[in-house]
Amino acid sequence: FEWVIRRVETRFIFKVDCDSWADPHAATRWLLDNAVGQHWYGGLVTWQGVVERSGKWAVDTLVFSNATFAPYARGGGYVLAKATAQLIIEAIRTKQSPMLSNIEDASVGLAAFARGIRVVNVPGFKEHIGPDTERAGEVNCCDEGTLLYHKPRHCCTPAALSLRNQHEQFSSQTA
């Protein structure tokens, strides 16, 4: 975040993983219509994530002793107001919040919580979790209203791109 804060004139920072599909134009429109306040933070929210003590996402009790995390936007993609990113960096630097090197999304949520910033659930942020997430034949990343889709299974196929292009053409004609 520090590089963006110092070098880019922007109101929002849209953090997206490389395994996520995003519609930056639709996300920008949504943010301009809905993201109110100087200190805004949102995405697909985990409300009471359990802190794992072993495995890839393990957190040592000496670093963070709580059994659950404060609410946070999942790491596949989330948005911060630039002013929020500055406060999060300060909270981590001043040890007001821990930096969990293996769980960046929960770290951001803890720092936001420490600074009194509430995370907002954004309905257009979605995530593929397992086989029941997508109905047979449906391509969720191309659905109307999808702003970000983490771990899509079908978004890069020619059929999916065609569906998305049709949606965009229809949206621009009806706007």
Side-chain angles (χ1 to χ4, degrees), residues 49-144:
V50 175
V51 179
E52 295 184 27
R53 299 299 178 194
S54 63
K56 182 178 180 178
W57 309 117
V59 176
D60 191 303
T61 54
L62 296 174
V63 176
F64 185 72
S65 61
N66 295 18
T68 59
F69 292 113
Y72 64 92
R74 294 182 189 175
Y78 52 84
V79 180
L80 301 166
K82 188 174 181 179
T84 301
Q86 290 171 316
L87 291 178
I88 285 170
I89 290 168
E90 288 173 23
I92 293 169
R93 263 200 196 126
T94 61
K95 307 274 190 249
Q96 189 177 10
S97 180
M99 175 60 193
L100 310 175
S101 59
N102 60 333
I103 312 175
E104 140 273 327
D105 52 0
S107 292
V108 169
L110 288 169
F113 184 79
R115 297 305 298 251
I117 299 164
R118 297 185 65 200
V119 63
V120 175
N121 192 60
V122 178
F125 281 52
K126 301 175 183 178
E127 182 172 87
H128 177 78
I129 298 170
D132 295 334
T133 305
E134 297 177 3
R135 297 186 295 274
E138 180 181 7
V139 183
N140 282 336
C141 66
C142 294
D143 286 351
E144 184 176 352

Side-chain angles (χ1 to χ4, degrees), residues 12 30-31 34-42 79-81 84 120 122:
F12 298 107
W30 189 95
L31 288 163
N34 297 283
V36 179
Q38 182 182 9
H39 298 294
W40 195 90
Y41 162 47
V79 180
L80 301 166
T84 301
V120 175
V122 178

Side-chain angles (χ1 to χ4, degrees), residues 139 141-142 153-164:
V139 183
C141 66
C142 294
R153 297 185 330 167
H154 306 292
C155 283
C156 295
T157 66
L161 294 174
S162 174
L163 278 173
R164 184 64 190 187

